Structure formats: C-alpha cells, structure tokens
Amino acid sequence: MKELGIGYAHGKIILMGEHAVVHGLPAISLPFYGAYVKTTVTSTHDQSTIHSSYYDGLLSDVPQELKGIAILIETTLNYINKQDQAIHVDIESTLPANRGLGSSAAVSVSVVRGVISAFKVELSEDELIELVNVAENIHHLNPSGLDVNTVIADLPLYFRRDKEKRHLPLKLKGYLVVADTGELGSTREAVADFAQTLHNNTDMIARMNRIGVLTEETLTSLYIGDMSQVGKAMLETHAILRDFSVSNDTLDRFVDTAMQYGALGAKLTGSGQGGCMIALASDEKSAEHIALRLRESGAHQTWYYNLEGQQ
Ligand code: MEV
C-alpha cells in the first residue's frame, strides 16, 4: 500500500440528557469543533504499528488503554478485506482525553476514517457506527451511542437510544463556553455510579425522569429561541446530576462562577466526576468574560463559540 490515508473527527458536547440517555431518555448534543483528532495511515513492512500520545510500538503489544483501538483497527482491516496489510497508524489529538468531549469516540471515528481512506474504501454511516461501537463497547461497556453519533454529526442532534436520531437544522442563539477542569473523568465508573444510585430508588428514578422532561422542554426552547429557558433547564439538570454524584466540587464551583458572571445557565457535560463544564452566554462579550473568570478560577483550558455557527 503506497497510499496515505487521513481521517478526522471533531468532539462532542452534550447540551442536555447525559446519563439519562443510557436509560432510554432523550438527549441533545452538539458537534464540538474546538478540538479534533487526526489519524494518518501509511504502509509499513512486516507488522502493524501505532503511534499516539500513550504509546509508540507494535499494534500487537498495545497497553490496556489502547486495546479497544487495536481491536478496532484489526476489525476494520478485516471488514474491508485487507487483513494481510501491515500499516502504521499515527493518532494526533487536540481533544483532551477523559474530559467528556468525546475524545474516545472521536479517536475511533478518525482511525476508521483514516484506515478506509488509505484503501480508498467508502463506508455508510451505519457501517462506520457499527465498527466504532467495537471500541466503544470495550471502553464503556454500556454506551448509549450518543457520543459516536455526535462526533460524526454536523448539526445539533436529538437522540434516543435505539429509537430516534434527529438532526436539528436550528439557528441556535447565544454562545457556549466550555471549561476544562483538568480532572480526568471515567465514563465507565460514572455510568456505573449513576446506575447504582438509580437502582430500585423511586425518588431517583423520578429525578432522572425530570432530566428527560427538561430535555424535551429544551428542544422546544431551542426551536423558539428562548435561550434563557435553555439556561434554566441546564442549571436544574446540573443539580440533579449532582444528586446522582456525577458532579464534583470543581464542576460545582465552575457552575457557580459562570452563573455569578452572567451565564444564562451552566452544567457539567458528558459523564462528569471531572471533565468539562458548559455555560450558555447571551453574547460574545459575556462569553469572553465568563471564560476569563473560569480560567482565573482554575480552568485548564476554555473555549467559547457562537452557537449560530453550529449549522
Ligand atoms: C458520555 O459522554 C455520555 C453518557 O451519557 C454515557 C453514554 O451516553 O453512553 C454519560
């Protein structure tokens, strides 16, 4: 193989409905273009190799963190009938890992895209998702599919596990601020903790169902452009997620800081227990100010962007 293959994937932001989505309730997510993953595939002799920030060496010897990716590469090569080809896979990422921004799904998507582009093969969206799920199932055990579907989406997404996937051609108003706590979250553990808190607890089941109601209301608010209502729903959702022990002190502090400096709403995004917080701001000046205050308050990195540019 002489050809070079390159695959990209952007990140994802869950606006509403994380965790509840695992249990069948709706979620609304957004593509996140602030950071991305790029995979370059070249030919090699002998045995396949991989280079990433975690590891540089033979594909057959990858450490535990990369097992899912190694299996994904083999599965993809098998799927396109190139199992006998030795390749070198180089993964570069500006998406911080384990921060709720979809890094693991984005790495998988960019790897599959890189491999298929190297062999000039095209896959349907369903085939891509099915392949990526090989790695997601290894990393997360019980993924809802929201992450993968969002990192391949170019529009906001309304998603219900195994039921509905609707791209939303919305002209969203306002700015979104994203702040990285710098603390690593584990989706696997957070999803398990959420499920444990939920188990046979009617009060917590009702709290989770409230997230579902808030997500549906948010969809309406987005359609009518009522961003202050979206902000209120985000804030209430954060309080519920905190009751499920999937927030932490830093995320709570960031939410307070964002609200103190004029955000319309704020919440954790993704699986939580670390990772990132998002805040909704009415305009660019407000977003810039909130981002600055969050950095002063300890955020490792912040991004903000106009939601209108989303589509
Ligand atoms: C993780 O980004 C989102 C969760 O809802 C898990 C999932 O949907 O699989 C916490």
Side-chain angles (χ1 to χ4, degrees), residues 174-177 264 280-290 304:
Y175 278 70
L176 199 71
V177 181
L264 300 172
L280 189 61
S282 50
D283 56 37
E284 184 169 10
K285 202 157 168 278
S286 167
E288 190 182 355
H289 186 59
I290 293 166
Y304 62 86

Side-chain angles (χ1 to χ4, degrees), residues 23 189-201 204 244:
H23 303 274
E189 276 166 35
V191 166
D193 287 352
F194 188 98
Q196 168 99 30
T197 310
L198 195 63
H199 188 65
N200 288 340
N201 182 328
M204 293 315 279
F244 274 95

Side-chain angles (χ1 to χ4, degrees), residues 143-172:
S144 67
L146 176 64
D147 288 13
V148 176
N149 277 285
T150 313
V151 304
I152 63 169
D154 292 323
L155 287 175
L157 188 69
Y158 172 89
F159 182 87
R160 284 188 70 194
R161 183 177 194 163
D162 303 325
K163 286 207 175 75
E164 196 174 347
K165 183 166 78 175
R166 198 177 346 141
H167 293 100
L168 307 170
L170 285 168
K171 217 167 175 57
L172 300 177

Side-chain angles (χ1 to χ4, degrees), residues 12 14 17-22 27 100-102 136 140 142-147 159 161 187 190-191 269-272:
K12 66 104 206 314
I14 301 179
E18 51 273 274
H19 287 289
V21 70
V22 173
L101 297 178
E136 287 291 288
H140 297 322
N142 185 21
S144 67
L146 176 64
D147 288 13
F159 182 87
R161 183 177 194 163
T187 301
V191 166
T269 185
S271 53

Side-chain angles (χ1 to χ4, degrees), residues 46-58:
D46 221 8
Q47 294 190 63
S48 291
T49 47
I50 185 164
H51 173 262
S52 78
S53 57
Y54 292 103
Y55 171 79
D56 195 8
L58 290 177

Side-chain angles (χ1 to χ4, degrees), residues 229-282:
Q229 206 52 43
V230 173
K232 282 186 192 146
M234 288 167 68
L235 203 54
E236 188 177 340
T237 298
H238 181 78
I240 300 173
L241 291 171
R242 198 176 49 209
D243 292 346
F244 274 95
S245 308
V246 294
S247 186
N248 71 8
D249 290 349
T250 315
L251 288 164
D252 293 346
R253 185 160 52 78
F254 282 11
V255 166
D256 290 346
T257 303
M259 294 311 294
Q260 187 184 344
Y261 292 102
L264 300 172
K267 61 182 271 294
L268 66 85
T269 185
S271 53
Q273 296 181 341
C276 289
M277 181 225 63
I278 53 172
L280 189 61
S282 50

